[in-house]
Amino acid sequence: MDPYALGYRLFNWFETFSHDSFRKKFARIYSTSQLNAAKCNYPNWKTLTKEQKKEIAEYWGLEHPVKSDFMTHEIMLNVKGEFDVRYVPEKIYRLYLDPGLADRKLILAWDDKNYFERHQPSLPFPHAYVRNVNGWFLDNDYRHISPEDARKIMVEHLPLIVKPSLVSGEGKNLRMVSDEKAVDEVLSTYPRNYLAQEVIAQCDEFDRMNSHSVAAMRIVTAIVNGKAELMSGMLLTNTTDAVACNRNTAPGVGVVLIGIDDDGKLADTGYFENAKPIQTLPNGFTFGGVQVPSYKEALTLALEAHESMPMLGIIGWDITIDKNNKPIVFEWNLRGIGMYHSQLTTGPLFGQYSDYFAGIAKKLIKQK
């Protein structure tokens, strides 16, 4: 089970080097999938009017709009109950803003989870006991160690979380390692590019939602006129006993996405991946109005770190709060920032900065 297998490498190559046809097709497939999934939960489905489509096209600079440009707006119209031109169309983001806000050639290096601490040494990351970089073992301080030493260190610090360091998403291949047998399975089935981290004990508020997985906040920040600004914040928890909070099981089962307001309070309504609303988790926990501990501190960490990396125009940060109510940064995301999910939970991705980014989009469209 090599996280850097051929399929991932092909996706990497196409996505990173901005092949327009690939991005366009991917946006259409993704939007169609989300639209069809959402329709199942909203029987009185509404479609956009010609006037609304025209407004979207003018706002985002679409000279030759196609159906896929309006799917996001149509979903949000039905989920939120009102039309808002500021929602970012999937095609606009995938084809123009995503490759335009950051040099995609940087992504392969800056998106390697094994080197987050090197890029941002002041951030509080989970302790990585063992790193595997292209088949070679390193300790937490990036010193070379033998496979035998790697096994010994992992056994001494059980339990551990093991996850791929390159091109992962939705909790794929993340696993809890609790005994020596599991350590040996990791060493034999993960040939390269992964890390073994400490298990984080989460804060009481998150633990009451689901004690099987550590809940994570996805905080999206972007560079606006040279300064990092908050775009959106949401919390990811799960309705199953999956180790990864962002792991999906079936429609309406698995990851739950809950918006976070500027003061750190959770929204009354969350959503499953298929846009089905939820107010109370299966264990009876009602999350509306719950205060996220140390939210402002977590936000400050993300904003200050992003300002030191202005070449990465938009970042999705995964941050949890530990049992001592201190923020712990799991990772940052440069490709899959969760745009659709952010808009589903908190509204238009760019909020008060929508006009600014719509202007950027129009310039990028003209350049192409």
Side-chain angles (χ1 to χ4, degrees), residues 343-358:
Q343 298 198 130
L344 188 64
T345 56
T346 60
L349 175 67
F350 298 121
Q352 62 180 311
Y353 305 106
S354 295
D355 290 353
Y356 174 84
F357 285 99

Side-chain angles (χ1 to χ4, degrees), residues 10-11 14-16 19-27:
L10 286 174
F11 181 87
F14 276 106
E15 197 274 345
T16 301
H19 289 261
D20 290 354
S21 59
F22 174 79
R23 290 178 178 275
K24 194 180 300 182
K25 185 174 181 179
F26 188 88

Side-chain angles (χ1 to χ4, degrees), residues 53-157:
K53 290 181 179 181
K54 181 180 179 182
E55 187 177 349
I56 295 167
E58 290 177 351
Y59 186 81
W60 290 102
L62 299 168
E63 296 180 2
H64 303 288
V66 295
K67 184 179 180 181
S68 61
D69 295 319
F70 305 118
M71 290 187 192
T72 299
H73 286 84
E74 190 168 308
I75 293 171
M76 300 308 164
L77 171 65
N78 286 275
V79 173
K80 302 297 185 180
E82 59 183 12
F83 172 76
D84 192 329
V85 72
R86 298 177 301 161
Y87 282 107
V88 187
E90 193 70 31
K91 179 184 173 184
I92 287 291
Y93 187 78
R94 297 275 183 184
L95 195 59
Y96 302 106
L97 289 176
D98 187 31
L101 293 175
D103 186 340
R104 307 309 290 172
K105 293 187 289 295
L106 294 173
I107 300 304
L108 290 176
W110 285 79
D111 213 21
D112 186 341
K113 298 176 180 62
N114 263 319
Y115 285 88
F116 284 169
E117 291 95 321
R118 280 289 175 92
H119 296 314
Q120 291 290 343
S122 64
L123 289 180
F125 291 100
H127 188 88
Y129 292 105
V130 172
R131 309 175 191 276
N132 185 294
V133 179
N134 200 32
W136 298 94
F137 287 102
L138 307 176
D139 65 10
N140 181 66
D141 297 317
Y142 298 92
R143 295 173 298 199
H144 180 266
I145 57 176
S146 68
E148 293 76 21
D149 286 339
R151 182 187 186 280
K152 182 180 178 181
I153 293 171
M154 291 173 70
V155 170
E156 287 177 350
H157 294 93

Side-chain angles (χ1 to χ4, degrees), residues 52 78 119 127 129 144 172 178 187 192 196 225 302 331 347 354:
Q52 289 170 333
N78 286 275
H119 296 314
H127 188 88
Y129 292 105
H144 180 266
K172 293 184 176 109
S178 302
L187 294 173
R192 55 180 172 157
N225 292 320
E331 59 190 61
S354 295

Side-chain angles (χ1 to χ4, degrees), residues 178-229:
S178 302
D179 53 40
E180 288 192 49
K181 181 180 178 182
V183 170
D184 290 333
E185 288 178 355
V186 167
L187 294 173
S188 63
T189 59
Y190 279 69
R192 55 180 172 157
N193 297 322
Y194 60 88
L195 62 164
Q197 294 179 326
E198 66 175 317
V199 176
I200 299 297
Q202 63 188 340
C203 64
D204 291 341
E205 288 79 0
F206 292 178
D207 206 55
R208 286 200 294 270
M209 295 183 195
N210 189 331
S211 60
H212 298 285
S213 61
V214 177
M217 295 179 289
R218 171 61 60 86
I219 295 174
V220 178
T221 60
I223 300 297
V224 181
N225 292 320
K227 183 180 179 182
E229 301 285 0

Side-chain angles (χ1 to χ4, degrees), residues 163 202-203 206-207 209-210 213-219 233-238 243-246 255-260 266 292 295 298 317-321 328-331 333:
K163 63 182 183 181
Q202 63 188 340
C203 64
F206 292 178
D207 206 55
M209 295 183 195
N210 189 331
S213 61
V214 177
M217 295 179 289
R218 171 61 60 86
I219 295 174
M234 65 177 173
L235 182 72
L236 283 70
T237 187
N238 209 285
V243 176
C245 67
N246 59 339
V255 62
V256 174
L257 315 159
I258 308 167
I260 307 175
L266 298 182
V292 175
Y295 178 70
W317 304 85
D318 287 347
I319 305 175
T320 194
I321 307 296
I328 300 291
V329 180
F330 284 138
E331 59 190 61
N333 299 272

Side-chain angles (χ1 to χ4, degrees), residues 93 218 220 234 314-316 333-339 342 349:
Y93 187 78
R218 171 61 60 86
V220 178
M234 65 177 173
I314 185 164
I315 299 177
N333 299 272
L334 306 178
R335 283 179 281 206
I337 64 162
M339 184 190 74
S342 293
L349 175 67

